[in-house]
Amino acid sequence: MKLQPYTSGLEHWSDELRKLDLMIAFKLQCKIELEGDENPLDPMRGLLITDDEVQRLLRTNGNGEAEVTGELPSSLAGMQDEITELSEIIAERLRLAEESADGWLPALVLLVRRFNLNRFEQAVVVMALAPEYSRKYEKLYGYLQDDVTNKLPTVDLALRLLCDSETERYSARSSFQADQPLLRWLLTADEGDGTSTLARPLRLDGRVVSFLLEAESCDGRLEGWVNRFDGDAARERDGDGEAEELQPLLIGASKQGEMRRFAELHLEAGKPAVLHLYGAGGSGKQLHAKHLAAALNRPLLLLHGDNLEAERLKPSIVLHQLFREAKLTDAIVGIAGGDHFMAPDGKLAMYRTVIEQWIRRSGGLLLWLSRERAHYSELPVPRQSVIYQVELTPPTIEEQRMLWRIWGEESAAASESAEAMADKFRLSPGQINRAVHEAKRLAEHEGADYTEEMHFERGAAVQLNHELEKKAKKLNPRYTFEDLILPHEHLDLLRQACNMMKYRRDVYGTWGFDRKLSYGKGLSMMFAGPPGTGKTMAAEVAANELRLEAYKIDLSQVISKYIGETEKNLHEIFKEAQRTNAILFFDESDALFGKRSEVKDAHDKYANVETAYLLQKMEEYEGVSILATNFQQNIDDAFLRRINIVVKFPFPDAEHREKLWRTMFPAATPLASDVDFAALAARIEVAGGNIKNIVLTAAFMAAAAGRPVGMRELVASARQELKKTGKILVNSEWDSFF
């Protein structure tokens, strides 16, 4: 009869268990013939399991049903011949299955190959699985071991049943060492009640059982910590296990090609290798990993380090289950959130050794995903292994425009509104994708005909999660250009600065300056002038005009007396600001951006280092930074070269002071008929900040007196304000107001 290839795991297991039954019967018959006793075992066994029942069990099928599969051969030679013949049939049907069109192989064959098991170890796996397939083997093992309560095979039983001589048994004991695949990956850690290795029960791990019986596609115990991506089908599983199409890789195709060439080279060579992808959150690290797995036609198991750090059980258990799953399914392992392992004082730092051992033993490829670039010593890299680092840089202005346009496209108007967001926000691809989804959700909730620009702005604002408020105060911009009283020349400079942000996409994107410049693409402004001339107000006007968040840097949280701490604080500020594209407003910037001096002592040396570091960070920052100073001459000349726009706020003359007096009063404020703004502007020479204080104090005076704000209150308030600066109103013509 012509043999057919195996087409299911059930067919294969039926033959394997039939072979196991023959081996058990052969050993029993050997003992009977050698000892000349039809019942060589302890007669007490028959009290619970009779000899006839043992023979009946050996004649039933693998499911333990009453159906008889055929009489067992009566002679040792006949049994041995049938075992040999069945082994040849199994081998031939497996060969035919592998050579078939789909190349399907039973799970046991895949297990043997992926864990490099020898024939004895393969037979041990079959023995250990048999009780999980049919309960008849519980009785058979109890009978064979002279203990009906011992329903699992032991090491001793495996050696007696599977080995033909003492020499074979002696050699086979090495398969039960801790560093061998049986104990390391396949069997549970149950040591049994006995103290010897021979008494150890052989129980397969639950995931190994479900794999062999094709009952589970992935270890369910990893749910919540590991996501599985089926690379061969170019599909990924969401949280509910539903298959979703893999998102296209819209940018970074060249880097994906580099990663693919590296992975293919080292997978083919079987050498340990680490592919390190690093970049800001949302830069596409996980998407690149999934596309790489799809290109390699391999599953991807992605462990989330942040989830593992919060795990109450030992992380080593999860890691062990992860690496076993990778070997079982021939998957690529990815560690997302690798920063949690790299922190020297982090909870997971000690588990780098576990990962390193897996790479060394398996010779596999590990994908390491982190926000920050890591030194080789921080990565779980064994000696003589290869590491390849790939940085996923922020997308260019043109790439951002393309992402906003593609993901936000639902109508021409919506596409144009979405594309405009690239000028206002510096978001990663992941943030842009989430911002678009949030914008569309908001538009749908509000019943809008299409997603408008305000929806995209609100969607983008949700993505700006940062920790700037720890070292800075968020401004709430309310002022516009109409509120800012400055000469036209100065207002034009401020508008020009805002336009440099509004038209970034044209200059850096369409006109190609983004490819020409590697740094210095941000907008830096300096507001110089006496106190109260409107520098802070102008910063709020710029933030309002650009619709960006603005933060006033708290110098008390930045400057430190300890060496290196100031630079560290500045690094954190610029790093957080880069994520959000926020405006950084350095008020009283003389303290940070002062001129570098001649080095006379250690204090001068480290002060100059801080200034030089600031110079570097200013050039690297691609957002808006504003420096405000009362004394421009105190600012280091190197800063002035790096500043795009310098706006000098003059002390207001009488004409501008009158405008300030008039605009300072809200429309609802009651004013007395005697208020003379021209006289106030001409006789009280103060800046806008002082005028604000005078007006507010006068308003409280008038409210307390129950009358409109008049010259009496304004002059009295002016006297108080001028006293703070050492000036006194002595002109007698003001006396009529008291």
Side-chain angles (χ1 to χ4, degrees):
M1 182 180 69
K2 183 178 181 181
L3 294 177
Q4 298 296 322
Y6 287 118
T7 58
S8 70
L10 179 60
E11 292 181 11
H12 179 240
W13 277 118
S14 297
D15 284 350
E16 289 287 355
L17 294 177
R18 172 63 178 172
K19 179 180 174 182
L20 177 62
D21 291 346
L22 287 168
M23 294 171 66
I24 293 174
F26 179 80
K27 289 297 181 181
L28 287 174
Q29 189 63 29
C30 282
K31 195 168 185 64
I32 291 173
E33 294 190 6
L34 288 174
E35 297 185 9
D37 184 0
E38 294 183 356
N39 185 15
L41 304 175
D42 189 344
M44 293 299 292
R45 290 181 178 168
L47 294 176
L48 296 176
I49 303 177
T50 66
D51 298 341
D52 291 339
E53 185 176 5
V54 170
Q55 295 299 324
R56 180 185 62 80
L57 290 173
L58 290 173
R59 291 195 301 271
T60 56
N61 62 18
N63 294 320
E65 299 171 352
E67 175 187 354
V68 177
T69 58
E71 292 294 330
L72 294 172
S74 58
S75 66
L76 289 175
M79 290 180 185
Q80 198 162 27
D81 289 343
E82 187 165 343
I83 292 173
T84 302
E85 181 182 359
L86 186 54
S87 299
E88 293 174 353
I89 290 174
I90 292 173
E92 179 63 16
R93 295 188 69 183
L94 289 175
R95 185 188 65 79
L96 293 173
E98 188 169 15
E99 294 177 355
S100 62
D102 56 4
W104 176 86
L105 284 174
L108 177 62
V109 178
L110 297 177
L111 182 83
V112 169
R113 292 184 179 182
R114 290 169 182 172
F115 289 92
N116 196 27
L117 304 181
N118 57 37
R119 290 186 178 181
F120 172 78
E121 292 165 345
Q122 177 180 343
V124 169
V125 171
V126 174
M127 278 187 65
L129 181 73
E132 303 286 350
Y133 186 81
S134 172
R135 294 198 64 184
K136 81 171 190 178
Y137 293 97
E138 295 179 354
K139 294 183 178 181
L140 290 173
Y141 292 154
Y143 186 88
L144 292 170
Q145 297 176 113
D146 196 12
D147 183 359
V148 294
T149 64
N150 195 352
K151 300 178 180 181
L152 296 176
T154 59
V155 173
D156 176 64
L157 179 59
L159 294 174
R160 288 192 288 113
L161 185 62
L162 303 176
C163 299
D164 295 327
S165 65
E166 188 62 31
T167 303
E168 286 187 22
R169 285 190 286 272
Y170 186 83
S171 176
R173 290 174 70 102
S174 62
S175 294
F176 297 103
Q177 299 304 308
D179 60 343
Q180 297 302 305
L182 280 178
L183 292 189
R184 176 171 293 279
W185 299 113
L186 306 180
L187 299 174
T188 62
D190 185 6
E191 299 290 344
D193 296 331
T195 57
S196 67
T197 302
L198 293 176
R200 175 177 184 147
L202 303 177
R203 184 195 298 273
L204 292 175
D205 181 85
R207 171 54 185 143
V208 178
V209 173
S210 67
F211 174 81
L212 291 172
L213 298 181
E214 301 173 311
E216 190 179 31
S217 61
C218 186
D219 194 341
R221 294 169 296 186
L222 293 175
E223 184 177 354
W225 294 279
V226 176
N227 286 348
R228 177 184 171 86
F229 166 69
D230 296 321
D232 56 343
R235 297 171 72 84
E236 56 184 320
R237 304 281 175 180
D238 62 15
D240 299 325
E242 297 293 332
E244 295 182 348
E245 292 294 335
L246 177 62
Q247 294 182 5
L249 195 64
L250 299 176
I251 61 175
S254 60
K255 292 186 177 181
Q256 176 68 201
E258 295 174 14
M259 291 186 284
R260 187 180 306 175
R261 288 188 291 272
F262 171 82
E264 290 173 344
L265 175 64
H266 291 279
L267 284 174
E268 182 178 353
K271 297 180 179 178
V274 175
L275 178 57
H276 180 205
L277 280 70
Y278 65 96
S283 58
K285 298 184 290 292
Q286 295 189 25
L287 185 61
H288 270 284
K290 292 172 183 177
H291 274 273
L292 179 61
L296 299 173
N297 201 24
R298 301 272 294 275
L300 171 68
L301 297 174
L302 199 59
L303 171 69
H304 298 278
D306 50 350
N307 293 347
L308 187 62
E309 191 170 38
E311 166 60 10
R312 290 177 296 178
L313 301 175
K314 291 183 179 179
S316 57
I317 296 176
V318 178
L319 288 170
H320 179 76
Q321 293 169 348
L322 168 67
F323 296 139
R324 177 177 54 216
E325 186 67 21
K327 292 183 73 68
L328 276 174
T329 59
D330 196 29
I332 295 173
V333 174
I335 307 290
D339 307 84
H340 294 276
F341 292 88
M342 295 188 300
D345 55 348
K347 176 182 176 182
L348 300 179
M350 66 181 71
Y351 296 104
R352 287 206 300 265
T353 303
V354 178
I355 302 174
E356 178 183 338
Q357 290 175 349
W358 177 81
I359 299 174
R360 185 174 63 252
R361 291 192 181 101
S362 67
L365 172 68
L366 177 71
L367 305 184
W368 191 265
L369 283 55
S370 66
R371 287 179 178 269
E372 303 294 337
R373 180 187 177 94
H375 188 269
Y376 284 13
S377 61
E378 298 175 307
L379 295 173
V381 183
R383 292 183 179 179
Q384 298 180 345
S385 60
V386 183
I387 182 171
Y388 185 63
Q389 293 184 306
V390 177
E391 181 183 9
L392 299 182
T393 55
T396 64
I397 294 294
E398 196 62 32
E399 288 174 336
Q400 290 182 64
R401 291 176 62 186
M402 181 263 293
L403 294 175
W404 279 104
R405 182 175 63 252
I406 291 177
W407 287 330
E409 186 176 6
E410 61 184 37
S411 66
S415 181
E416 183 177 351
S417 297
E419 192 173 339
M421 295 301 101
D423 303 330
K424 300 179 181 180
F425 301 96
R426 288 286 285 174
L427 301 181
S428 66
Q431 288 176 315
I432 294 174
N433 187 278
R434 293 191 293 270
V436 170
H437 283 292
E438 177 67 14
K440 291 181 178 180
R441 188 192 66 80
L442 290 171
E444 182 180 357
H445 177 73
E446 296 176 2
D449 295 333
Y450 63 92
T451 310
E452 301 177 18
E453 185 169 341
M454 64 175 182
H455 297 129
F456 288 116
E457 286 184 347
R458 289 161 60 186
V462 173
Q463 313 306 317
L464 303 180
N465 298 322
H466 51 77
E467 299 180 355
L468 268 176
E469 293 189 11
K470 291 183 178 180
K471 291 182 171 59
K473 178 183 178 182
K474 184 177 181 180
L475 300 178
N476 296 312
R478 299 179 180 177
Y479 300 112
T480 65
F481 275 104
E482 287 70 23
D483 300 311
L484 198 59
I485 308 301
L486 284 175
H488 293 296
E489 178 184 355
H490 300 76
L491 287 175
D492 290 342
L493 275 176
L494 191 57
R495 286 194 175 93
Q496 177 187 341
C498 293
N499 288 337
M500 292 177 69
M501 289 301 293
K502 288 182 179 180
Y503 298 99
R504 284 168 61 92
R505 64 174 177 177
D506 293 330
V507 175
Y508 289 122
T510 306
W511 294 1
F513 276 86
D514 192 40
R515 297 183 295 274
K516 197 74 173 178
L517 303 175
S518 59
Y519 61 91
K521 292 180 284 188
L523 170 63
S524 57
M525 294 184 280
M526 173 180 285
F527 297 161
T533 51
K535 298 184 293 296
T536 302
M537 178 185 285
E540 293 189 24
V541 169
N544 207 347
E545 181 72 12
L546 297 173
R547 297 183 184 178
L548 295 175
E549 290 184 335
Y551 285 85
K552 183 178 180 180
I553 306 304
D554 185 353
L555 296 183
S556 67
Q557 297 295 320
V558 176
I559 300 177
S560 174
K561 64 180 181 180
Y562 298 105
I563 295 173
E565 283 297 311
T566 301
E567 291 89 333
K568 180 180 177 181
N569 294 333
L570 287 169
H571 172 76
E572 292 178 1
I573 287 174
F574 280 100
K575 175 184 173 182
E576 292 296 324
Q578 191 69 52
R579 296 180 185 175
T580 63
N581 201 31
I583 295 177
L584 296 179
F585 178 54
F586 294 87
D587 198 11
E588 304 293 342
S589 58
D590 318 58
L592 282 173
F593 299 86
K595 286 187 176 181
R596 286 172 285 189
S597 59
E598 181 182 352
V599 177
K600 297 180 179 179
D601 53 28
H603 176 78
D604 294 334
K605 174 183 177 181
Y606 288 108
N608 289 346
V609 169
E610 293 174 2
T611 304
Y613 183 78
L614 266 172
L615 286 170
Q616 175 186 342
K617 301 308 291 185
M618 284 280 292
E619 281 197 308
E620 292 176 356
Y621 186 50
E622 296 188 6
V624 180
S625 54
I626 302 175
L627 315 180
T629 177
N630 298 335
F631 305 100
Q632 181 179 336
Q633 63 271 20
N634 291 345
I635 300 296
D636 194 286
D637 293 338
F639 277 111
L640 294 178
R641 180 181 65 80
R642 290 166 169 82
I643 292 173
N644 304 111
I645 301 292
V646 177
V647 181
K648 297 181 179 180
F649 287 69
F651 191 88
D653 56 19
E655 178 185 355
H656 287 94
R657 289 199 297 271
E658 182 178 351
K659 291 181 180 179
L660 289 169
W661 280 103
R662 292 182 182 277
T663 58
M664 203 63 69
F665 285 96
T669 305
L671 293 178
S673 58
D674 64 343
V675 174
D676 187 348
F677 290 117
L680 290 169
R683 299 180 183 277
I684 304 177
E685 298 182 2
V686 291
N690 303 109
I691 293 175
K692 180 196 71 173
N693 293 339
I694 294 171
V695 167
L696 193 59
T697 302
F700 279 107
M701 288 180 178
R707 58 175 178 259
V709 180
M711 289 295 284
R712 182 182 183 88
E713 289 78 22
L714 290 170
V715 173
S717 177
R719 285 183 184 275
Q720 295 180 18
E721 185 68 20
L722 290 173
K723 283 181 181 180
K724 293 191 298 184
T725 60
K727 298 179 181 179
I728 300 177
L729 281 177
V730 296
N731 199 321
S732 60
E733 63 184 82
W734 296 107
D735 294 341
S736 60
F737 297 104
F738 296 92

